[in-house]
Amino acid sequence: MRTFCKTLIALGISVALGQTANAAGDVLTIWEDTNKAVGIELAARDFAKENKVKVVIEQKDSASHLNELEKLVENGGDVPDVFIVISDRTEEAVNKNVISDLPFMKADASKYAKLATDVFYINGKYYAAPRSIETLVVYYNKDLLDVPYETIDGYEKAGDRLAAQGKYGLVGKLDELYIAYGMMSAYGAYVFGKNGEEYNKYDVGFASGNADDGLTNLADYVRRYIPKQLQTPEGWGLVDKMFIEGQAAAVINGPWALDSYAKSGINYGIAPLPKLKNGEYFRPFYGVKGYAIAKNSQNKDLAAKFIEFANQPKYALIRYSAIAELPPINDVIANPLIANDDFSNALASQMLNADPMPYIAETSQIWGPMADAIKSVIANKQNAKQALNDAVVKINKAISNTDNNQEDALPNDSE
């Protein structure tokens, strides 16, 4: 697991690099994810030296970068030059006019996996350069499973066998849409259809294809193989606890779980998600974190130069070594150090069978109705077809209500 050498050290909350540069020179402020600045410290130091500037790295939870940036813009505060935008919130950042497009990505896009750049391409412009990509994988306990199974049937048989020992086979928060989606999408479900490159918010596809078969199979699996305590809000943490303590032979989880599993000392491996009963692979969401430039940055050219510099393969490899987040850069993925690494290999393989989390604002309307539908079918209160149809009606109504409210808020030219 990540066998090449880590050459960097932890940095704390904020670091400043290049202080020996001309005091009157430029200062570039970079927002990195919490505890992840170590991944770009060398790139920042080399950039500061080469460009005779000062680089300041501040660490904040990447999920909050956009919200914090918006507050600074509203209050007239000093914004960072570079921040992390998450792919499904990119359009929101564009609509709120707090993010700048990246002209250099027109030429650089071919350096990245296409699925990682597509999510940042909106209205003919790129708004971020991919930093890392994430999706769900299977973590399995090598002391309980000799090899990971290619099919869900294999995990079901493992669950049946391990039940006699008071243990479980493959578990996860399958009662939640974020994970359950992968089973329904393998049967034809989708979130929103597209008109060309743009999402069509009026084409909600959760009831499409044989999605009801997928949800029926999921509910059956949950009732037979997922303990009740995992079907609660506390279940997210209990998934990790069960795996680390050897109560579950395998779990469905994302890259964010890697660090705690590695530190636990458990003898684990990583594999793509299994094929389902229809012969199709479990098809989860994927997301991309990208380096973006704040609209109000006073150093846009320098910020763009830094992003290109930090995403050079040699620095991206160091970043992966330090923080275990896979850069979707073609030359990095092809590097033997990555290609022969079990985590990156599983993640890259799974990306071939994954759907992007839609970036349009209407995505926020799907979670409540779909949570109700999934839980209703698991509890045998509705059949899957009825539950999905009801959910689609609720989602469409919520989107329509939002549209009407926005129209009401528009100024009346006749006044």
Side-chain angles (χ1 to χ4, degrees):
M1 174 66 60
R2 291 181 286 139
T3 53
F4 49 107
C5 180
K6 291 185 179 181
T7 59
L8 307 176
I9 59 174
L11 303 178
I13 297 302
S14 178
V15 295
L17 304 167
Q19 291 96 325
T20 57
N22 185 344
D26 292 312
V27 177
L28 195 67
T29 301
I30 313 295
W31 280 4
E32 215 354 311
D33 210 349
T34 304
N35 298 324
K36 301 297 175 68
V38 62
I40 62 168
E41 192 250 6
L42 181 60
R45 179 179 293 134
D46 288 351
F47 182 84
K49 181 178 180 181
E50 184 174 306
N51 292 275
K52 295 182 171 56
V53 297
K54 181 177 179 180
V55 178
V56 176
I57 305 174
E58 298 180 6
Q59 300 187 86
K60 304 172 184 288
D61 180 4
S62 60
S64 71
H65 281 199
L66 182 56
N67 293 340
E68 293 199 31
L69 176 61
E70 289 174 32
K71 291 177 183 176
L72 289 173
V73 171
E74 290 173 3
N75 298 327
D78 293 331
V79 303
D81 299 296
V82 176
F83 69 101
I84 293 173
V85 66
I86 300 173
S87 54
D88 61 304
R89 298 193 68 190
T90 307
E91 186 178 69
E92 178 186 349
V94 173
N95 290 340
K96 291 180 176 178
N97 200 33
V98 296
I99 190 172
S100 180
D101 67 289
L102 305 182
F104 73 83
M105 279 299 295
K106 289 279 189 180
D108 282 8
S110 62
K111 298 177 182 178
Y112 300 87
K114 187 175 185 298
L115 55 79
T117 56
D118 283 351
V119 294
F120 295 124
Y121 189 70
I122 301 173
N123 297 328
K125 296 180 180 180
Y126 291 98
Y127 285 90
R131 166 192 177 275
S132 54
I133 198 162
E134 60 186 27
T135 190
L136 299 172
V137 293
V138 170
Y139 295 86
Y140 67 99
N141 185 328
K142 292 184 176 181
D143 294 332
L144 295 176
L145 298 179
D146 292 334
V147 293
Y149 294 106
E150 186 178 359
T151 67
I152 194 71
D153 289 340
Y155 285 109
E156 288 179 347
K157 291 175 182 176
D160 293 336
R161 172 174 54 83
L162 290 165
Q165 305 172 36
K167 298 180 185 295
Y168 293 86
L170 176 66
V171 304
K173 280 292 288 176
L174 283 162
D175 61 316
E176 294 285 349
L177 175 61
Y178 184 76
I179 295 182
Y181 174 79
M183 192 170 284
M184 290 182 287
S185 63
Y187 282 80
Y190 55 89
V191 183
F192 297 110
K194 282 191 169 185
N195 294 330
E197 295 296 322
E198 302 300 321
Y199 283 105
N200 179 2
K201 63 184 179 181
Y202 301 114
D203 179 9
V204 179
F206 284 112
S208 298
N210 296 314
D212 56 315
D213 290 339
L215 181 51
T216 297
N217 290 339
L218 179 142
D220 180 63
Y221 187 92
V222 170
R223 288 191 292 264
R224 293 169 60 197
Y225 297 107
I226 304 298
K228 291 287 187 183
Q229 61 266 33
L230 260 61
Q231 300 173 49
T232 66
E234 293 74 32
W236 293 104
L238 291 175
V239 167
D240 293 336
K241 186 174 187 292
M242 288 184 68
F243 186 63
I244 290 171
E245 294 181 356
Q247 292 300 306
V251 295
I252 298 173
N253 218 327
W256 49 84
L258 178 62
D259 190 52
S260 63
Y261 293 170
K263 290 177 179 177
S264 73
I266 191 171
N267 182 21
Y268 72 98
I270 305 173
L273 295 165
K275 283 184 179 179
L276 302 173
K277 295 183 184 299
N278 65 346
E280 299 294 329
Y281 281 102
F282 198 111
R283 192 175 183 85
F285 288 121
Y286 76 84
V288 187
K289 292 179 180 178
Y291 286 125
I293 298 175
K295 188 81 169 183
N296 289 359
S297 167
Q298 300 302 305
N299 298 301
K300 286 188 177 67
D301 290 342
L302 190 63
K305 191 175 182 180
F306 173 81
I307 293 173
E308 288 189 275
F309 189 91
N311 265 359
Q312 292 180 86
K314 67 175 182 179
Y315 293 118
L317 279 167
I318 291 170
R319 189 167 72 234
Y320 175 73
S321 171
I323 68 174
E325 294 187 16
L326 183 63
I329 300 168
N330 294 330
D331 286 348
V332 172
I333 293 173
N335 188 294
L337 293 172
I338 295 292
N340 297 326
D341 178 75
D342 55 352
F343 171 67
S344 60
N345 190 46
L347 195 60
S349 296
Q350 186 60 60
M351 293 309 307
L352 301 177
N353 293 293
D355 292 339
M357 178 73 74
Y359 55 70
I360 62 175
E362 287 75 14
T363 305
S364 64
Q365 306 291 355
I366 71 176
W367 303 102
M370 284 304 299
D372 292 342
I374 293 166
K375 289 174 171 56
S376 177
V377 177
I378 290 172
N380 276 317
K381 293 180 179 179
Q382 285 182 295
N383 65 52
K385 184 178 289 292
Q386 178 186 1
L388 289 174
N389 286 334
D390 287 351
V392 170
V393 169
K394 291 177 183 176
I395 294 168
N396 283 328
K397 183 176 180 180
I399 291 172
S400 178
N401 287 341
T402 300
D403 289 346
N404 291 335
N405 290 337
Q406 289 175 343
E407 289 177 4
D408 291 342
L410 292 174
N412 190 332
D413 293 336
S414 64
E415 293 181 358

